[in-house]
Amino acid sequence: MYTSLSVAKQAVLAIGEEIKTSGLPPEICPLIFVFTGAGNVSQGAQEILNLLPHEFVHPSKLSELTDTSPSKVPVRGVNFKVYGCVVASEHMVERKIPGSGCFDKHHYYEHPEEYSPVFAKNIAPHASVLVNCMYWEQRFPRLLTIKELLDLRSSGRSRLQVVVDITCDKGGSIECLKKYSSIQKPFFRYNPENDSTEDDMDGDGILFMAVDCLPTELPRESTKHFGNALFPFLVNLANAKTLAEIHVPVRDACIAHEGSLTEMYKYIQKLREANASKTPLLQEREGMSNSPISTIVSLSGHLFDQHLINEALDVICAGGGRYRLATCKLGQSDDETSCADLEVTAGSQDALNCIVDKLAEIAVKGSNIRHRELEGSRDISESNENGIALEKNYQVLILGAGRMCEPAVRHLTSTKRRFRFREASYVDNGLVDECVSVVVASLYIEDAQRVVAGVPNASAIELDTSDTQNLGDCVSKANVVISLLPADLHLPVATACIKFKKHLVTASYVSEAMQALDKMAKEADVTLLCEMGLDPGIDHLMAMKMIDSAHKRGGRVQSFVSYCGGLPSPEAANNPLGYKFSWNPAGAIKAGRNPAVYLMNGQKIEVPGEKLFAAALPVRLRDTPAFALERLPNRDSLKYGELYGISKEASTIFRATLRYQGFSKVMDALGELGYFDTDLHPLLDPGALPVPDQPTYNAMLDALLLQMFHKMNEPEKRMMLNAGDRNSLSHALAYLPCCKNNPSAVEDAAACIRWLGLDALEQVPKSCKSIFEVLCKRMEEKLTYGPEETDMVLLHHELDVELNGQVERHTATLLAFGETAEGCSQRRPESAMARTVGIPAAIAAELLLFGEVKTRGVLRPLTAEIYEPALEVLKTMKLPLVEHVEFL
């Protein structure tokens, strides 16, 4: 009943905040959600669970959570989060013959009769909610039978309260599913004791949800996504009289034309005939010998857009075989592959072997066939004479192997694109495929090797960019260079790019030294595209799209407000600061104390750096989850009026950094205590100590509190002394200017000091040379992300536009969360910050590679030739923008 997916997620996040604060009823804890399968359906369901305070556990660890024996030490915090567990085939079945080897998924698919179900024994007793997302056929064991459910309940071992059966197979993998539910009445109650169902939710039994039209429940998001994808092709589609006149992407999607299946989709009729009312067993009896032989053939690759499925079915039929489609998973874009399992049956082993051998001929050349698996993708290096695609190879050199590099590498190497940004081009009847290889260069080869490990078309080299000759050699071999190095190292790279006429991309602000290269870059016909990350980067793309659109409609921009923050996700903001560092705390703190200037209602407001935290204000944003945020003015907002062309019309131009509420008060308190002091502190000066021992954190805190006491006026001193509680940290902090008359700020500051261990009796490391370094060292140790914790990026623009006497408020919001290891079994998970910086840089490289950006010189992404295609690609990269318009 929510108006959009983002609003629904807000509601879930609000529930998560309540769980974190008030906890769950003890009688239902631990609340464990078990997801079957790991495909797109399961991942979508997990995406919602991830909005709650949660922890994913391995199936083997479930019993530890639910163990209630007296000797078991209770798990702490089970009332304040939910648990998730993803189970795959190997957790649901076991070999009937003990000792017959480890679980083999392909063997299980071929011979399910050799396996016994164990889900009811090993998993079901621990599940509170079962979310069934897996594919199932009659030949596989059931997930949960009626008898197994009754046995669990009668033995008192069942914790199952809810079943969400997304597969909606009546009497299928969950045998007791008796009926479907509806959008209007999504739940019904099933009573295993009398095998009955009721529409109420008050009696005994298990709550079921089995809505078989769930995919239609996101009409706005679905319509917008598919509409945006189709819109550029509509004119061509409407005017085309024959299939040949339709652009390739839409032509390949035409299933039928003039009453007949098109060439690519003729396999549908074949599959329908093969899967007609006759069962595979009956087909075998009618058309084959008395001893038919069957096997499962797994095909993967571009099965449908390269006609491979058609060729495979023709081969089977020509060999006298029959087939049945067991499973099929479609790639959702031209960058992704599809997978299909065919049950192939022949009259003899020789005939079956012949079919499999011929299938191998249309698969990748030189590939091995294991368990009758085939890689069904073309080797496109064949000659153009047969109409096979030609390759055109590009190389991108990425300098720097930090976390931002990994998403960029994967994005650039993951596609064999066919002119993503423009119509396909043909050369002598051969379609040109543009392939990108990536070279990652780092001062430490191990870092670069870690980034490219397991990534196709990616390699690692060792490079010291201060070695201008080696740098020039590497740059000369590339088509585009991406520099993810620190900003002060970009200049020699840019100089080399100009020398060898190569384009450059950075995510850093344009410095004066970089801007000075503009003329040289233009003369060399080179583009130096900077500020192509998150902020700066995506913020430019969003802003210029909104502003240009307003101006084209004849509107006048009255106000431009922009907020951006890299934060822990709500469940990971589990410390008094509500913040964690994925980079150097010293740099983050210093960046947060830069002076700021902005325009508000026509008034220029300047904030000194030391007063920045005190200038923080609360903010609530539309289309964002229900957590409390605050905004800190961000440097010079006025220059954006010039960059965006609105300085002569806007009375408000304000850019701010987002933090969770309370962050600034705590940081302000630490600053007022003296923890930002970068001078040599007396307690760290060996000559000032009575003994040569290194001081403790506690001693430093005492010294700072004493220093604060000496700065007080006499009345305050008397009040503090008369209170008789000088040893109370909270009592002392109450006299800080930022904490006066603010008990919550006092307690938050005291909690942060204790959390960081600044009151500990441990010795301060000798490497710390100032009190500021002591603070940074402690933050580096304490405020880091745990292995399963994720970050969050939130970018929000508000644009007030006056048009024909009416004021419109246009908002655009980007909300992205980092990945967890659970969803990235084959690679390191990516943080939201890494993706929102690395992917825009990679997109910029694509635009330059494929000639979409014609402008030369030092650029920011402020023009339509950059922001239009870049935003289109971002929409496909799980970085969607939520846009809204309201009238003021």
Side-chain angles (χ1 to χ4, degrees):
M1 312 304 285
Y2 297 101
T3 57
S4 69
L5 176 60
S6 64
V7 176
K9 286 185 173 182
Q10 289 177 34
V12 178
L13 280 160
I15 294 170
E17 288 296 309
E18 188 173 341
I19 292 173
K20 280 203 307 184
T21 304
S22 306
L24 292 161
E27 57 269 21
I28 66 169
C29 294
L31 186 59
I32 301 174
F33 290 76
V34 170
F35 301 88
T36 62
N40 288 334
V41 175
S42 178
Q43 290 176 28
Q46 293 171 52
E47 182 178 324
I48 302 303
L49 185 78
N50 289 340
L51 301 175
L52 301 173
H54 69 281
E55 178 183 338
F56 273 90
V57 297
H58 190 271
S60 63
K61 301 294 184 181
L62 286 175
S63 58
E64 298 178 12
L65 276 178
T66 58
D67 186 357
T68 57
S69 60
S71 60
K72 178 69 171 63
V73 177
V75 180
R76 295 182 62 188
V78 294
N79 290 30
F80 296 91
K81 60 182 172 182
V82 300
Y83 291 86
C85 178
V86 181
V87 297
S89 302
E90 59 264 34
H91 309 122
M92 304 176 194
V93 296
E94 65 181 9
R95 292 271 187 121
K96 289 181 177 179
I97 303 174
S100 54
C102 299
F103 179 83
D104 187 314
K105 181 178 178 180
H106 304 291
H107 183 270
Y108 171 55
Y109 283 171
E110 290 186 19
H111 304 286
E113 70 281 357
E114 297 182 16
Y115 292 79
S116 299
V118 294
F119 182 86
K121 178 178 68 174
N122 297 339
I123 306 295
H126 312 292
S128 310
V129 180
L130 173 58
V131 186
N132 191 23
C133 312
M134 70 176 192
Y135 176 83
W136 184 82
E137 289 184 1
Q138 289 283 352
R139 60 196 186 96
F140 296 113
R142 280 192 168 92
L143 193 67
L144 196 61
T145 66
I146 296 175
K147 182 180 183 306
E148 288 171 337
L149 185 57
L150 283 169
D151 290 345
L152 284 171
R153 289 172 66 87
S154 62
S155 65
R157 293 187 300 124
S158 176
R159 307 178 70 253
L160 190 62
Q161 302 174 61
V162 181
V163 174
V164 180
D165 196 345
I166 305 175
T167 67
C168 290
D169 293 327
K170 283 184 182 177
S173 57
I174 299 177
E175 189 180 21
C176 56
L177 179 61
K178 298 292 185 178
K179 66 176 186 178
Y180 300 137
S181 53
S182 66
I183 299 302
Q184 291 74 24
K185 294 182 178 180
F187 297 100
F188 64 86
R189 179 170 53 87
Y190 172 73
N191 191 331
E193 275 67 31
N194 56 20
D195 195 28
S196 65
T197 62
E198 300 291 343
D199 288 334
D200 66 83
M201 299 168 60
D202 301 324
D204 189 25
I206 299 170
L207 209 59
F208 264 77
M209 189 193 81
V211 180
D212 61 348
C213 57
L214 274 181
T216 66
E217 280 305 281
L218 295 174
R220 176 177 298 178
E221 285 77 9
S222 300
T223 302
K224 186 173 182 180
H225 175 81
F226 289 110
N228 288 342
L230 182 61
F231 188 79
F233 301 99
L234 283 181
V235 174
N236 168 258
L237 189 62
N239 292 331
K241 294 181 174 56
T242 66
L243 276 177
E245 296 175 9
I246 300 175
H247 288 324
V248 173
V250 181
R251 184 197 314 159
D252 289 348
C254 291
I255 299 174
H257 181 67
E258 296 184 347
S260 300
L261 290 168
T262 59
E263 189 66 30
M264 281 184 61
Y265 295 92
K266 288 183 178 179
Y267 71 89
I268 293 175
Q269 185 60 31
K270 298 176 182 177
L271 290 174
R272 290 182 64 187
E273 293 169 355
N275 292 338
S277 58
K278 298 178 181 179
T279 65
L281 181 60
L282 184 58
Q283 293 178 27
E284 292 168 2
R285 289 177 176 173
E286 290 181 354
M288 302 186 182
S289 66
N290 293 329
S291 301
I293 307 297
S294 297
T295 189
I296 296 291
V297 176
S298 295
L299 302 167
S300 65
H302 291 277
L303 303 181
F304 302 99
D305 55 356
Q306 293 187 7
H307 302 267
L308 289 167
I309 190 70
N310 300 55
E311 293 185 46
L313 300 184
D314 289 343
V315 163
I316 296 169
C317 293
R322 296 186 183 276
Y323 53 82
R324 182 176 67 87
L325 184 65
T327 65
C328 185
K329 179 182 177 183
L330 297 177
Q332 299 301 306
S333 73
D334 58 359
D335 299 339
E336 298 178 9
T337 58
S338 301
C339 305
D341 288 336
L342 293 175
E343 182 181 356
V344 182
T345 306
S348 67
Q349 187 65 57
D350 289 343
L352 187 61
N353 290 343
C354 183
I355 290 172
V356 172
D357 289 342
K358 289 187 178 298
L359 288 173
E361 293 178 6
I362 66 170
V364 173
K365 295 179 179 179
S367 65
N368 295 319
I369 302 174
R370 294 186 59 197
H371 304 293
R372 292 295 187 250
E373 278 189 49
L374 300 176
E375 290 294 327
S377 57
R378 286 285 195 181
D379 180 341
I380 65 167
S381 62
E382 298 180 36
S383 69
N384 186 33
E385 296 176 2
N386 297 321
I388 305 299
L390 301 174
E391 282 190 344
K392 185 175 181 181
N393 291 307
Y394 295 93
Q395 184 186 104
V396 175
L397 172 65
I398 300 182
L399 303 176
R403 298 307 294 265
M404 313 299 179
C405 180
E406 297 180 38
V409 170
R410 274 192 279 273
H411 177 77
L412 288 167
T413 59
S414 64
T415 60
K416 191 166 288 182
R417 68 206 73 235
R418 296 189 172 186
F419 290 84
R420 172 181 285 177
F421 307 108
R422 58 181 184 273
E423 295 180 17
S425 172
Y426 291 86
V427 180
D428 297 331
N429 298 321
L431 188 61
V432 178
D433 276 359
E434 299 189 306
C435 306
V436 179
S437 62
V438 175
V439 176
V440 177
S442 174
L443 183 62
Y444 303 104
I445 185 65
E446 297 82 4
D447 293 342
Q449 289 171 337
R450 183 172 59 251
V451 169
V452 304
V455 181
N457 300 325
S459 57
I461 62 172
E462 184 175 312
L463 176 64
D464 182 352
T465 55
S466 64
D467 185 337
T468 54
Q469 182 172 345
N470 284 341
L471 174 63
D473 289 342
C474 295
V475 168
S476 66
K477 298 172 185 175
N479 298 95
V480 173
V481 178
I482 300 177
S483 179
L484 298 176
L485 300 170
D488 56 350
L489 299 180
H490 291 328
L491 203 60
V493 178
T495 303
C497 287
I498 292 173
K499 177 181 178 181
F500 294 101
K501 301 185 183 301
K502 307 296 181 180
H503 302 304
L504 172 67
V505 175
T506 82
S508 303
Y509 287 103
V510 175
S511 64
E512 291 184 6
M514 181 68 76
Q515 186 62 49
L517 297 177
D518 180 65
K519 182 179 179 181
M520 293 174 59
K522 290 176 178 176
E523 291 172 350
D525 195 34
V526 165
T527 299
L528 307 180
L529 179 49
C530 306
E531 301 188 12
M532 198 63 185
L534 168 65
D535 179 6
I538 299 178
D539 60 338
H540 289 324
L541 306 176
M542 292 167 55
M544 291 311 302
K545 178 190 174 186
M546 298 168 73
I547 292 169
D548 282 356
S549 176
H551 285 163
K552 286 178 182 177
R553 294 167 56 231
R556 183 179 68 86
V557 176
Q558 289 186 340
S559 170
F560 173 75
V561 176
S562 175
Y563 308 123
C564 186
L567 300 161
S569 56
E571 63 273 16
N574 48 12
N575 62 67
L577 266 179
Y579 194 74
K580 291 188 176 178
F581 294 94
S582 56
W583 59 303
N584 184 355
I589 295 171
K590 289 176 181 177
R593 286 172 59 82
N594 286 311
V597 57
Y598 58 92
L599 190 67
M600 185 64 66
N601 297 324
Q603 181 181 359
K604 180 180 177 182
I605 299 175
E606 298 184 72
V607 183
E610 63 273 13
K611 299 293 184 182
L612 192 72
F613 289 127
L617 295 172
V619 61
R620 291 295 296 269
L621 306 180
R622 184 188 180 95
D623 292 323
T624 59
F627 37 71
L629 299 167
E630 62 184 25
R631 60 191 186 185
L632 286 160
N634 187 1
R635 303 194 187 190
D636 183 3
S637 297
L638 301 184
K639 71 176 185 180
Y640 287 83
E642 297 293 336
L643 287 176
Y644 295 164
I646 57 174
S647 59
K648 295 182 179 180
E649 54 187 300
S651 59
T652 294
I653 303 174
F654 179 50
R655 297 178 78 251
T657 302
L658 292 174
R659 293 288 183 264
Y660 289 115
Q661 279 187 24
F663 172 88
S664 296
K665 285 295 182 186
V666 175
M667 294 296 284
D668 212 8
L670 292 174
E672 289 182 359
L673 266 177
Y675 274 105
F676 296 161
D677 189 355
T678 55
D679 294 331
L680 185 66
H681 193 273
L683 285 179
L684 292 173
D685 183 356
L689 293 175
V691 290
D693 294 337
Q694 192 74 0
T696 63
Y697 291 104
N698 179 267
M700 299 203 71
L701 178 59
D702 287 343
L704 290 173
L705 291 173
L706 183 60
Q707 182 176 285
M708 181 189 81
F709 179 78
H710 288 312
K711 291 179 180 179
M712 292 180 182
N713 57 41
E714 289 304 318
E716 286 179 330
K717 287 181 181 179
R718 284 195 295 272
M719 288 177 60
M720 185 172 178
L721 291 171
N722 292 337
D725 193 16
R726 282 179 294 167
N727 294 324
S728 168
L729 178 61
S730 296
H731 176 75
L733 294 177
Y735 289 90
L736 290 174
C738 66
C739 292
K740 287 180 179 178
N741 305 317
N742 193 341
S744 64
V746 173
E747 292 306 315
D748 288 348
C752 182
I753 287 172
R754 295 187 184 105
W755 176 276
L756 293 174
L758 294 173
D759 62 344
L761 292 175
E762 303 171 36
Q763 285 190 341
V764 173
K766 293 184 178 181
S767 59
C768 296
K769 303 302 181 186
S770 71
I771 191 70
F772 180 65
E773 291 184 18
V774 171
L775 175 65
C776 293
K777 180 69 175 177
R778 223 49 174 163
M779 285 183 165
E780 203 169 347
E781 294 169 350
K782 300 289 187 178
L783 300 179
T784 57
Y785 287 92
E788 291 301 317
E789 291 180 335
T790 60
D791 70 329
M792 175 183 80
V793 162
L794 177 56
L795 174 60
H796 177 84
H797 285 340
E798 288 183 7
L799 192 75
D800 289 354
V801 178
E802 188 273 326
L803 180 63
N804 299 326
Q806 175 72 55
V807 178
E808 306 169 350
R809 173 159 293 172
H810 296 254
T811 63
T813 306
L814 168 67
L815 179 63
F817 292 92
E819 299 175 329
T820 62
E822 192 75 28
C824 306
S825 58
Q826 303 300 318
R827 58 175 174 83
R828 290 202 301 175
E830 295 172 353
S831 68
M833 183 59 70
R835 286 168 53 219
T836 52
V837 174
I839 289 177
I843 292 172
E846 289 179 321
L847 295 173
L848 292 167
L849 278 177
F850 305 140
E852 298 302 310
V853 178
K854 308 296 185 184
T855 309
R856 298 295 180 249
V858 177
L859 304 183
R860 296 177 177 90
L862 304 176
T863 56
E865 72 170 341
I866 301 174
Y867 70 69
E868 285 182 351
L871 286 172
E872 285 301 313
V873 179
L874 282 174
K875 287 180 182 179
T876 70
M877 300 304 299
K878 299 182 180 178
L879 295 173
L881 305 179
V882 177
E883 299 181 74
H884 181 76
V885 181
E886 61 181 316
F887 295 95
L888 302 181

